[in-house]
Amino acid sequence: VQLQASGGGLVQSGGSLRLSCAASGEIFGISVMGWYRQAPDKQRELVASVTSGGLTNYADSVKGRFTISRHNAENTVALQMDSLKPEDTAAYYCNARVRAGPESGIYFDSWGQGTLVTVSS
């Protein structure tokens, strides 16, 4: 399974960006899709996630500003980022928890290549 992310870039504080991610390959099911980010000299952290049933989870730092959405049939996930702040600057990684086989109860994590978001003050 491959994840292809896009949509990063440079934006001024208060601006908006939309990240998109598409999963491809032999996919037997995806339970959770989400976005993580990693700023220089910091650990990777969860930004937002969404289950196949539509349940969402957000980091406290982005609640009310970011919105995650998912299209199950197309295996895509998007992150709408509004009211961006300089502290949102990071590399953003798409993640999918993928079922290992058609009858399997085992899931593994697949990661995208990362897309850079830079917010200037």
Side-chain angles (χ1 to χ4, degrees):
V1 176
Q2 295 81 42
L3 297 181
Q4 182 67 45
S6 61
L10 174 63
V11 65
Q12 288 188 332
S13 181
S16 298
L17 282 175
R18 183 177 178 85
L19 305 182
S20 298
C21 177
S24 62
E26 192 169 36
I27 299 172
F28 299 107
I30 299 176
S31 60
V32 182
M33 298 189 81
W35 292 91
Y36 289 71
R37 68 186 180 187
Q38 187 167 18
D41 299 323
K42 291 189 177 181
Q43 289 190 333
R44 189 173 295 189
E45 63 175 358
L46 174 69
V47 176
S49 64
V50 56
T51 69
S52 56
L55 293 176
T56 58
N57 180 45
Y58 294 92
D60 288 342
S61 59
V62 307
K63 284 181 181 176
R65 301 187 297 121
F66 291 10
T67 303
I68 191 169
S69 59
R70 174 175 175 173
H71 195 302
N72 289 332
E74 296 182 355
N75 293 315
T76 59
V77 63
L79 185 69
Q80 177 66 38
M81 305 185 293
D82 299 318
S83 302
L84 282 160
K85 303 175 181 180
E87 51 262 44
D88 295 317
T89 295
Y92 283 70
Y93 297 88
C94 176
N95 170 269
R97 188 149 293 175
V98 184
R99 178 177 287 175
E103 304 294 331
S104 177
I106 298 173
Y107 288 78
F108 64 91
D109 283 321
S110 182
W111 293 91
Q113 82 282 12
T115 184
L116 186 61
V117 171
T118 303
V119 184
S120 62
S121 57

